[in-house]
């Protein structure tokens, strides 16, 4: 469940209803947002459970929590993308149930999205103007026949759009295509577009994802400025971000650091050199270099959007690198097909598990052994020894397994090919602490039995305790590297990732 | 008695639709493409049969060549026209499929004229009939039903029990994860197209034996109706295609039997529209939603 | 980032309107005179009229495909509704007065628009592939209705002796007016809403755009002008049969839109022109015409999926502006680049 942290710079806070606190000046009026006992179920899974939250005017509230905690789901519930199973939401005293998304926008909620959703083929100015969807009520005929109403509307929208763009210094890019903007500007444009609808409540979903520390600070300042600017209009913001800060790299140690060989280090098994990977115009990996030695556990930690998953996908061959090299067992595999990499001994348990839901547990494991020409029943037995719960559910459809069981299945499936190197992407995601320690124990056993492991994790504490060597990624770069112990003792890492 | 013979009629037509619908469903399941050109592959099969038998080839061999021909055309189309668009927006893929359909029809028209030809049905299935207590059952009907059901059972076993079948299911559920297993998705997709069009080839032979004609545009209407069948059953669902095929077959026979044969096409499309409005994922299908 | 020190000189709005109107009037007059003078032979003037009609069909389909981003495959159905409506009205009302012609075309468009709303509301709840098939289904149903209501439509043998009202002036004035109206629609906040839906429907909805309303609006506008084009078609051929309005007809129009550029009105017009005139020019190649079309479609989709002109939005005044400011030919150099 997402943790809720409030920050209100200048008001005195008073309690309300025993459920929360709101600024004193708003004690008389209804809170802007009043959520009580919100629940939503997806199939058999309860994604949001008894979520209660009150937000008063001109507040900035933050929703934090690890991946899979339910933050975006709450946002989606607030904007009626999903219908809640239970509970109610009041916006300014009005029940939001049953209203369509655009009606909610009219009532005063505007949002940005975790994955940027701009109108890429339209100009920056037009993007903002689309946000001004209400408050102008001329009909279609006024526009078609260019009656005076059209001229008025166009003028007003033009002036207002430029005003809003000016808040974030985007005015001189007004005629550029939104899709061509640099990443940071795209995020800012999304916020401007949301502001254009004159919302009473602004929901910002991970607005700083993929930004470096200085960009993030700038953005936070902008948000505070917004809040202060619009004080007269009574605005509140709900912002979700599960990073608590950043680790500043020690320049000596960053960039291409190959790491110290601690216990477990043997031959160099995997060598990644100067990897650059793009998603469209956006550079997701910037000159990433590191190595993994035979027999060790190497871990990559970092916040959401840092590029960890992209790194694993590139190693497995699902993403192509623009430049750079990947070497496995001294062979250059940068341009080889994904299936040949599996044949060479690299397997992955991907982010989000990605088991085949329509296939049974047994069939999923068989798929893991797809390339094996020999009898793999022995390996299957081994997997069942590691994960006895899977044995009980052999004939069950993978889609009906719980999150933890799916994680076990994904790992078991990755084991079936007898990999030399196993890539694990966020095995702890969305799992209870008990299950997480169970899984991590199994990872340790796997490593003790000879499998080299490259682990990507958001749960930095556990990952650093487990791993021999580690690297910290931020906005596509490796900023720190060292042994697991070194990094867990580093004050920068402690502050940023270990809550210290 | 009349009712029973109409039922058999429906079974025959339905099994042909089911065979063709299977091809649509399999391809949609794996690459989310509505292969407009699928019906035209059937037309090509018909022409191959006409030509080979006309050249004196033994009918059994001609059938094999027909099926192989359908497979080859389909696999070639996939490699040349669909594979380059694997990551393109869906509209582009749809438009390309329409282009391929047009191309096949007009190429055949170019080389063979638009005239309708006679199809040598009796060479493939002799015109015999059995009398079952007053009910006349033609050999053609019997063969159609038996072969169709046999093919469907065979397909089911293939998909459920073989390694390749499971790989096909895996690729249609999660292409990326399938790649992580070492599955060569290009190969799996080609095989899916091959199997789907092999079934269409069989359907082609059976269809032409029933109607005894071949012309360049015959694939469109048959394809369209089989397509409705696939959507009715739930596109992407293999049992759905079978259910849908028989449903449409029976519906058509029913409408004709009630004397409204001029409206059969409209009825089929009306069924399509009703399904899409009430339950777009079809009788047995599952919906896919977009992540926000 | 360097910027030109000289401010960009813009043409004032009233002058823009003047230039555009003058241009269109000149084209209209010139064309009319050309046809009247007899320099053009019968076959050629027939093609010129056809180009106008198909241009309007392509432009109207472009509203639903290029601007809204959907793929309706039943455009011929709306064309048919408009054609038969105009035909029946013109057969019933004698004379060649402007009022009668206008009435026929307007009724054609309106009835087609009604069908557009009726079909659009359920159909637009579906996405992508499903929308394509359901509109295909509706188009076929319209055709079957035409065949099976011989009392009204003349059934399969068709409707004859329709007064041929579609002179050059009628056709091209209608086409120009229609394109102007579509243009003004798209350059308003309603047009922006429609484009936003194409770009990212969920974001549009979350930004306050009533997507259901705008999807149906775009679809209905598309149907309206298809109906008008159908009316022009009826007034051109004088005979209507259900065989004129098959799925193939819809595909032909789609080819024009796709080749011209999904989202470019100029592209649709140019492609309609080329694809209609080409068979005349290449009569010896007529056999191969459809094969070439099909290949063209596939090749364009593989290599330039946005169509030949992409989303290019033609504007004479913008070209003149660029010329005045010396920016007619783009200079080499990056205009501010990426990097997060």
């Amino acid at each position: 469940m997402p943790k809720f942290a409030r920050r209100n710079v200048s008001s005195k806070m008073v309690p309300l209803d025993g459920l929360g606190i709101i600024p004193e000046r708003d004690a008389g009026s209804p809170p802007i947002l009043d959520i009580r006992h919100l629940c939503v179920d997806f199939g058999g899974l309860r994604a949001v459970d008894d979520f209660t939250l009150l937000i008063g005017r001109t507040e900035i509230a933050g929703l934090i929590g690890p991946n899979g905690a339910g933050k975006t789901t709450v946002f989606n519930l607030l904007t009626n993308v999903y219908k809640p199973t239970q509970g109610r939401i009041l916006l300014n005293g009005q029940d939001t149930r049953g209203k369509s998304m655009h009606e909610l926008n009219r009532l005063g909620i505007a949002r940005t999205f975790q994955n940027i959703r701009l109108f890429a083929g339209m100009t920056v100015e037009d993007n903002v103007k689309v946000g001004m969807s209400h408050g102008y009520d001329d009909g279609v005929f006024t526009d078609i026949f260019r009656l005076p109403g059209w001229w008025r509307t166009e003028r007003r929208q033009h002036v207002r759009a430029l005003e809003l763009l000016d808040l974030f210094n985007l005015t001189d890019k007004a005629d550029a295509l939104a899709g061509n903007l640099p990443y940071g500007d795209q995020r800012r444009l999304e916020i401007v577009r949301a502001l254009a609808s004159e919302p009473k409540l602004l929901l910002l979903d991970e607005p700083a994802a993929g930004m470096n520390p200085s960009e993030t600070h700038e953005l936070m300042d902008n948000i505070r400025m917004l809040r202060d600017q619009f004080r007269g209009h009574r605005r509140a913001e709900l912002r979700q971000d599960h990073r608590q800060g950043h680790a500043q790299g020690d320049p000596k140690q960053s960039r291409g650091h190959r790491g110290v060989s601690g216990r477990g280090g043997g031959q160099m098994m995997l060598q990644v050199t100067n990897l650059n990977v793009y998603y469209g115009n956006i550079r997701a990996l910037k000159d990433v270099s590191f190595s993994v030695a035979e027999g060790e556990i190497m871990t990559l930690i970092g916040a959401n959007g840092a590029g960890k998953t992209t790194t694993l996908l590139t190693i497995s061959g699902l993403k192509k690198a623009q430049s750079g090299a990947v070497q496995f067992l001294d062979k250059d595999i940068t341009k080889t097909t994904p299936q040949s990499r599996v044949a060479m001994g690299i397997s992955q348990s991907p982010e989000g598990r990605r088991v085949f839901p329509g296939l049974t547990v047994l069939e999923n494991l068989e798929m893991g052994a797809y390339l094996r020409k020999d009898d793999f029943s022995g390996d299957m037995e081994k997997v069942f020894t590691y994960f006895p719960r899977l044995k009980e559910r052999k004939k069950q459809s993978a889609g009906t397994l719980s999150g933890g069981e799916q994680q076990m299945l994904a790992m078991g499936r990755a084991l079936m090919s007898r990999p030399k190197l196993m890539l694990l992407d966020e095995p702890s995601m969305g799992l209870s602490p008990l299950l997480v320690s169970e899984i991590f124990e199994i990872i340790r056993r796997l490593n003790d039995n000879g499998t080299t492991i490259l682990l990507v994790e958001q749960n930095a504490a556990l990952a650093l305790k487990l791993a021999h060597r580690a690297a910290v990624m931020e906005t596509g770069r490796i900023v720190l590297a060292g042994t697991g112990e070194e990094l867990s003792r580093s004050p920068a890492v402690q502050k940023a990732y270990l809550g210290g | 008695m009349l009712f029973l013979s109409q039922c058999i009629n429906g079974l025959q037509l339905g099994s042909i639709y089911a065979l063709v619908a299977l091809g649509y469903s399999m391809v949609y399941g794996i690459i989310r493409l509505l292969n407009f050109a699928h019906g035209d592959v059937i037309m090509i099969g018909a022409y191959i049969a006409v030509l080979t038998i006309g050249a004196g080839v033994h009918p059994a061999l001609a059938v094999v060549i027909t099926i192989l021909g359908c497979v080859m055309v389909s696999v070639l189309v996939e490699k040349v026209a669909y594979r380059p668009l694997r990551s393109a927006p869906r509209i582009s893929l749809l438009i390309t499929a329409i282009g391929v359909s047009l191309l096949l029809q007009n190429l055949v028209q170019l080389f063979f004229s638009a005239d309708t030809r006679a199809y040598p049905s009796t060479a493939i299935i002799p015109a015999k009939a059995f009398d079952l207590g007053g009910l006349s059952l033609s050999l053609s009907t019997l063969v159609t039903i038996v072969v169709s059901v046999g093919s469907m059972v065979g397909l089911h076993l293939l998909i459920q029990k073989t390694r390749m079948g499971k790989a096909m299911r895996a690729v249609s559920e999660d292409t990326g994860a399938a790649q992580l297993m070492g599955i060569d998705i290009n190969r799996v997709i080609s095989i899916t197209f091959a199997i789907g069009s092999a079934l269409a080839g069989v359907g082609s032979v059976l269809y032409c034996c029933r109607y005894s004609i071949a012309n360049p545009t015959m694939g469109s209407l048959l394809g369209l109706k089989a397509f409705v069948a696939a959507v009715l059953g739930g596109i992407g669902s293999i049992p759905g295609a079978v259910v849908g095929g028989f449903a449409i077959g029976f519906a058509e026979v029913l409408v004709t039997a009630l004397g409204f044969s001029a409206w059969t096409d409209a009825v089929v499309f009306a069924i399509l529209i009703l399904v899409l409005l009430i339950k777009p994922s079809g009788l047995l299908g599952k919906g896919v939603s977009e992540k926000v | 980032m360097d910027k030109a020190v000289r401010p960009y000189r813009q043409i004032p709005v009233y002058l823009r309107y003047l230039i555009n109107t003058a241009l269109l009037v000149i084209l209209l007059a010139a064309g009319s005179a050309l046809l009247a003078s007899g320099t053009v032979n019968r076959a050629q003037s027939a093609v010129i009229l056809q180009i106008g009609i198909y241009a309007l069909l392509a432009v109207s389909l472009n509203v639903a495909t290029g601007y809204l981003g959907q793929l309706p495959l039943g455009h011929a159905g709306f064309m048919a509704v408009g054609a038969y409506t105009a035909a029946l009205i013109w057969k019933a009302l004698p004379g060649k007065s402007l009022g009668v012609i206008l009435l026929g075309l307007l009724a054609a468009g309106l009835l087609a628009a009604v069908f557009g709303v009726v079909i659009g509301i359920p159909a637009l709840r579906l996405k992508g592939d499903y929308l394509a098939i359901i509109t295909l289904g509706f188009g076929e149903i319209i055709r079957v209705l035409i065949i099976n209501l011989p009392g009204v439509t003349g059934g399969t043998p068709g409707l004859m002796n329709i007064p041929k009202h579609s002179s050059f002036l009628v056709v091209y004035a209608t086409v120009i007016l229609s394109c102007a109206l579509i243009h003004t629609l798209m350059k308003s906040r309603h047009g922006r809403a429609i484009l936003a839906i194409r770009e990212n429907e969920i974001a549009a909805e979350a930004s306050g755009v009533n997507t259901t309303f705008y999807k149906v609006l775009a679809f209905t506008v598309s149907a309206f002008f298809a109906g008008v084009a159908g009316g022009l078609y009826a007034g051109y051929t004088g005979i209507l049969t259900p065989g004129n309005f098959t799925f193939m007809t819809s595909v032909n129009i789609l080819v024009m839109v796709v080749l011209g550029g999904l989202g470019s009105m100029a592209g649709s017009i140019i492609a309609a022109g080329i694809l209609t005139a080409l068979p005349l020019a290449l009569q010896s190649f007529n056999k191969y015409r459809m094969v070439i079309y099909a290949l063209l479609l596939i090749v364009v989709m593989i290599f330039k999926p946005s169509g030949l002109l992409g989303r290019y939005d033609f504007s004479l005044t913008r070209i003149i502006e660029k010329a005045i400011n010396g920016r007619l030919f783009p200079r080499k150099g990056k205009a501010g680049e990426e990097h997060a």
Side-chain angles (χ1 to χ4, degrees):
Chain A
M1 293 303 121
K3 248 194 344 222
F4 173 62
R6 320 179 84 102
R7 246 183 72 92
N8 192 293
V9 170
S10 46
S11 313
K12 200 170 107 182
M13 305 295 272
V14 297
L16 175 74
D17 278 2
L19 289 168
I21 49 174
I22 59 168
E24 187 182 23
R25 86 166 78 83
D26 291 332
S29 40
I32 287 217
L33 188 61
D34 182 338
I35 310 176
R36 308 279 172 124
H37 309 296
L38 195 64
C39 303
V40 78
D41 298 309
F42 294 126
L45 180 67
R46 172 146 285 201
V48 172
D49 189 21
D50 199 25
F51 183 86
T52 296
L53 175 63
L54 296 166
I55 299 190
R57 296 154 200 281
T58 61
E59 258 199 77
I60 299 182
L63 206 57
I64 60 178
N67 237 2
K71 311 183 296 289
T72 299
T73 311
V74 167
F75 269 36
N76 285 340
L77 286 166
L78 288 179
T79 47
N80 278 352
V81 174
Y82 303 142
K83 227 167 49 155
T85 328
Q86 268 179 57
R88 72 151 163 73
I89 304 167
L90 292 180
L91 177 68
N92 244 349
Q94 259 189 306
D95 196 336
T96 65
R97 188 182 336 223
K99 301 221 174 0
S100 68
M101 272 202 268
H102 74 267
E103 282 171 331
L104 285 182
N105 183 267
R106 218 159 270 250
L107 285 180
I109 290 190
R111 73 174 287 183
T112 65
F113 294 87
Q114 193 171 19
N115 298 315
I116 298 181
R117 284 180 176 269
L118 284 178
F119 308 124
M122 296 170 75
T123 63
V124 165
E125 187 178 331
D126 281 347
N127 267 264
V128 178
K129 285 178 177 172
V130 173
M132 301 178 197
S133 295
H134 50 100
Y136 304 83
D137 283 319
D138 309 313
V140 178
F141 284 108
T142 320
D143 290 349
I144 294 187
F145 294 109
R146 295 282 159 95
L147 299 178
W150 180 78
W151 301 91
R152 252 198 321 263
T153 305
E154 287 299 303
R155 176 126 204 95
R156 277 170 64 196
Q157 287 201 340
H158 176 69
V159 167
R160 181 73 182 140
L162 290 182
E163 257 175 38
L164 288 169
L165 286 172
D166 197 41
L167 288 174
F168 284 85
N169 292 322
L170 288 170
T171 335
D172 49 351
K173 297 187 180 156
D175 289 321
L177 281 185
N180 290 340
L181 289 182
Y183 182 74
D185 284 342
Q186 285 191 6
R187 284 253 176 232
R188 278 187 277 273
L189 176 58
E190 237 198 339
I191 300 179
V192 174
R193 181 182 66 188
L195 283 175
S197 44
E198 317 277 338
K200 300 191 175 62
L201 177 65
L202 186 61
L203 303 176
L204 301 175
D205 196 341
E206 305 244 16
M211 288 189 181
N212 66 41
S214 61
E215 286 172 332
T216 309
H217 286 308
E218 200 182 322
L219 182 66
M220 293 306 141
D221 286 337
N222 281 336
I223 295 177
R224 269 189 284 272
M225 175 267 294
L226 274 183
R227 195 273 318 270
D228 294 335
Q229 270 244 349
F230 291 99
R231 187 165 281 199
H233 296 262
R234 293 160 175 239
R235 179 183 317 273
E237 287 168 0
L238 184 61
R239 175 166 62 78
Q240 67 159 329
D241 203 340
H242 60 263
R243 284 179 304 169
Q244 289 147 293
H246 298 274
Q248 298 304 329
D250 178 348
K252 264 203 322 246
Q253 284 187 294
S254 58
R255 207 160 307 146
H257 181 71
R258 299 232 177 120
V260 177
S261 162
R263 66 189 151 99
Q267 282 270 59
M268 210 57 73
M269 185 175 259
L270 177 77
Q271 183 86 50
V272 171
T273 323
N274 287 331
L275 217 52
N276 282 289
V277 175
Y278 287 78
Y279 283 99
N281 278 342
I282 298 173
R283 199 160 154 215
L285 292 187
K286 303 168 189 165
D287 290 319
V288 167
S289 299
F290 65 91
S291 63
V292 181
E294 186 175 346
E296 72 173 355
I297 300 181
M298 165 80 175
T299 183
L300 293 174
I301 61 174
N304 218 15
K308 312 185 298 292
T309 299
T310 310
T311 308
L312 289 192
L313 289 177
T314 312
I315 296 175
S316 277
L318 262 58
K319 262 313 260 171
K320 293 236 170 320
Q322 196 90 313
S323 65
V326 179
Q327 275 170 310
F328 183 66
L329 297 175
D330 291 325
K331 285 209 234 4
D332 187 343
I333 61 171
T334 324
K335 300 217 186 298
T336 59
T337 59
Q339 55 263 28
S340 61
R341 300 188 201 199
V342 176
M344 287 182 72
I346 304 179
S347 78
Q348 182 174 165
S349 165
E351 188 188 22
R353 274 64 98 164
R354 294 176 78 172
V355 296
F356 301 115
L359 273 62
T360 63
V361 167
L362 205 59
E363 289 172 332
N364 266 271
L365 293 175
E366 284 173 23
M367 284 296 99
Y370 183 77
L371 290 179
R372 305 249 326 242
K373 309 232 188 287
D374 54 334
D375 176 24
F376 47 79
S377 49
D379 290 86
M380 214 175 269
E381 275 313 308
K382 253 205 303 201
V383 168
F384 289 138
T385 324
Y386 282 117
F387 306 110
R389 248 183 277 196
L390 288 183
K391 188 164 189 186
E392 299 162 24
R393 294 168 172 60
K394 257 200 295 210
K395 297 281 179 79
Q396 223 179 300
S397 289
T400 58
L401 297 177
S402 74
E405 289 158 356
Q406 286 189 358
Q407 183 60 55
M408 295 182 194
L409 179 57
M411 285 172 62
R413 190 177 60 174
L415 277 172
M416 290 300 296
S417 57
R418 288 234 191 115
K420 303 192 175 74
L421 173 67
M422 197 155 104
L423 309 175
L424 293 172
D425 198 337
E426 305 244 13
S428 74
M429 177 158 90
L431 299 185
S432 69
L434 198 62
L435 263 174
V436 171
S437 46
E438 210 178 304
I439 300 261
F440 270 65
E441 179 55 34
I442 293 176
I443 297 177
R444 204 177 51 74
R445 273 169 62 193
L446 284 174
N447 182 246
D448 286 341
N449 286 337
T451 314
T452 312
I453 297 194
L454 175 58
L455 171 70
V456 152
E457 251 305 332
Q458 272 203 339
N459 188 332
L462 274 176
L464 290 176
K465 229 181 356 184
L466 181 67
H468 299 116
R469 291 193 304 120
V472 180
M473 285 191 78
E474 262 173 28
T475 57
R477 282 187 215 280
I478 296 200
V479 295
L480 261 186
T483 66
E485 236 181 279
E486 284 171 2
L487 255 55
S488 53
R489 279 203 300 257
S490 142
V493 172
Q494 281 185 354
K495 183 153 157 257
Y497 299 103
L498 301 175
Chain B
M1 197 41 60
L2 183 65
F3 176 69
L4 217 51
S5 80
Q6 289 295 32
C7 275
I8 302 213
N9 230 358
L11 267 178
Q12 184 190 18
L13 193 57
S15 22
I16 297 175
Y17 284 149
L19 279 180
V20 181
L22 279 170
Y24 276 118
S25 264
M26 287 173 71
V27 166
Y28 188 83
I30 210 161
I31 55 172
R32 305 277 176 273
L33 165 69
L34 293 173
N35 189 7
F36 269 96
H38 190 63
D40 299 291
V41 167
I42 297 175
M43 177 266 296
I44 299 228
Y47 273 83
I48 295 180
V50 166
L51 290 175
T52 48
I53 293 190
V57 174
H58 187 279
L61 186 59
V63 168
V64 171
I65 295 181
T66 300
I67 296 179
L68 281 177
C70 289
V71 168
M72 276 168 29
V73 168
S74 210
V75 170
L76 183 68
V77 162
E78 192 273 318
K79 264 208 175 67
V80 170
Y82 300 153
R83 193 174 296 186
L85 293 170
R86 198 64 72 68
S87 37
R90 300 257 284 282
I91 279 194
S92 307
L93 210 48
L94 260 178
I95 295 179
T96 307
I98 294 179
V100 171
S101 170
L102 273 181
L103 184 66
L104 291 176
Q105 283 181 28
N106 286 291
L107 273 177
V108 168
Q109 200 160 318
L110 197 61
F111 290 117
F112 297 106
S113 93
D115 305 329
T116 303
R117 296 184 177 221
Y119 188 92
S121 6
T122 46
I124 300 179
I125 304 180
K128 245 174 13 159
F130 303 99
D131 188 353
L132 300 173
L135 184 66
S136 168
L137 183 66
S138 74
L139 181 62
S140 157
T141 309
L142 187 62
V143 168
T144 300
I145 298 179
V146 167
V147 168
S148 302
V149 172
S151 306
M152 291 177 224
V153 170
L155 181 70
H156 177 81
L157 289 175
L158 180 89
I159 301 274
Q160 292 298 328
K161 305 281 178 204
T162 66
R163 177 172 161 270
M164 179 48 68
K166 293 177 196 178
M168 286 163 68
R169 283 157 57 203
V171 172
S172 61
E173 290 188 1
D174 191 333
T175 311
Q179 284 181 298
L180 291 176
M181 305 291 106
I183 298 176
D184 181 349
I185 49 171
N186 281 339
R187 203 158 151 259
V188 170
I189 292 176
S190 291
I191 292 183
T192 308
F193 266 83
I195 297 179
S197 41
L199 290 172
V202 172
S204 166
V205 172
L206 296 173
Y207 181 83
C208 293
C209 284
R210 177 184 161 107
Y211 291 109
S212 297
I213 53 149
N215 67 51
T217 52
M218 64 184 275
S220 323
L221 200 55
L222 168 61
L224 224 45
K225 290 193 197 158
F227 176 71
V228 175
V231 172
L232 171 62
I235 191 137
S237 156
I238 298 209
V242 174
V243 166
F246 282 112
I248 296 286
F250 273 107
E252 229 186 87
V253 165
L254 181 66
V255 170
T256 314
L258 288 175
F260 294 109
S261 51
W263 293 89
T264 40
D265 295 352
V267 167
V268 172
F269 287 113
I271 294 179
L272 172 72
I273 290 171
L274 281 172
V275 171
L276 287 178
L277 292 182
I278 301 177
K279 190 171 193 279
S281 48
L283 293 170
L284 300 180
K286 287 162 285 201
V288 181
S289 46
E290 191 181 350
K291 183 168 197 319
V292 181
Chain C
M1 238 187 313
D2 287 330
K3 284 196 66 179
V5 177
R6 246 188 10 219
Y8 196 74
R9 283 161 61 198
Q10 289 192 311
I11 301 180
V13 177
Y14 70 87
L15 196 56
R16 276 198 201 159
Y17 274 75
L18 212 60
I19 296 177
N20 286 327
T21 317
L23 176 69
L24 292 172
V25 166
I26 292 175
L27 282 177
L28 213 53
S32 211
L34 188 67
L35 251 65
S37 72
T39 359
V40 198
N41 70 37
R42 203 114 196 268
Q44 287 169 330
S45 51
V47 168
I48 292 182
L49 289 182
Q50 273 187 354
I51 290 180
I53 296 173
Y54 278 102
L56 185 56
L57 282 170
V59 166
S60 59
L61 182 59
N62 192 30
V63 173
T65 52
Y67 297 143
L68 184 64
Q70 302 293 335
L71 189 64
L73 292 176
H75 211 58
F78 298 127
M79 180 188 174
V81 168
Y84 278 92
T85 307
L88 290 172
I89 289 187
W90 288 336
K91 283 185 74 152
L93 300 175
K96 263 186 173 263
S97 70
L98 185 64
V100 169
I101 297 180
L102 267 178
L103 184 65
L105 290 178
L106 218 55
L110 282 172
L111 194 58
V114 168
F115 271 75
V117 174
V118 167
I119 294 177
I121 291 183
L124 289 163
R125 285 198 258 140
L126 306 169
K127 300 279 174 63
D129 316 335
Y130 289 119
L131 179 90
I133 350 162
I134 203 177
T135 49
L136 198 164
F138 275 119
E140 287 296 293
I141 289 188
I142 291 182
R143 191 175 58 85
V144 172
L145 277 176
I146 292 177
I147 294 181
N148 285 321
L149 295 174
V152 178
T153 63
T156 319
L159 212 56
M160 321 267 180
N161 300 321
I162 304 171
K164 291 199 181 179
H165 289 308
S166 300
S167 64
F168 177 89
L169 208 57
V170 166
V171 170
Y172 277 87
T174 309
V175 170
I176 288 176
L177 185 60
S178 307
C179 290
L181 291 177
I182 293 179
H183 178 81
T184 53
L185 175 69
M186 291 313 295
K187 287 268 178 276
S188 71
R189 67 186 181 93
H190 304 287
R192 286 192 287 269
I194 293 173
L195 293 177
I197 296 176
R198 171 192 72 189
E199 293 293 312
N200 200 315
E201 188 170 338
I202 292 187
E205 178 81 29
S207 301
V209 172
N210 186 339
T211 52
T212 312
F213 172 75
Y214 280 106
K215 277 157 78 165
V216 175
L217 177 69
F219 197 68
T220 306
V221 166
S222 172
F224 178 86
F225 288 108
V228 170
L232 290 175
Y233 180 78
Y236 160 76
T237 56
I239 303 177
L240 293 178
T241 65
N244 295 131
F245 307 107
T246 61
F247 174 58
M248 262 314 119
T249 318
S250 298
V251 170
N252 272 332
I253 305 172
L254 181 67
V255 172
M256 292 176 194
V257 175
V258 168
L259 287 183
L262 285 165
S264 167
M265 185 187 286
S268 300
I269 297 177
I270 295 177
I274 296 179
L275 289 176
T276 312
L278 216 54
L280 185 69
L282 299 175
Q283 241 162 5
S284 50
F285 288 114
N286 211 20
K287 280 206 301 175
Y288 304 101
R289 180 171 64 114
M290 286 310 295
V291 174
I292 295 178
Y293 277 9
L295 280 172
L296 214 54
L297 201 55
I298 298 174
V299 165
V300 169
M301 276 299 104
I302 295 181
F303 294 103
K304 196 162 196 288
S306 55
L308 290 172
L309 256 62
R311 289 189 185 162
Y312 180 66
D313 190 16
F314 174 78
S315 164
L316 177 65
T317 45
R318 196 176 60 219
I319 293 180
I320 297 179
E321 257 178 27
K322 280 199 181 154
I324 297 179
N325 285 289
R327 298 263 190 99
L328 197 55
F329 298 105
R331 274 171 286 144
K332 290 260 180 197
K334 305 228 173 158
E337 266 310 284
E338 42 113 339
H339 279 298

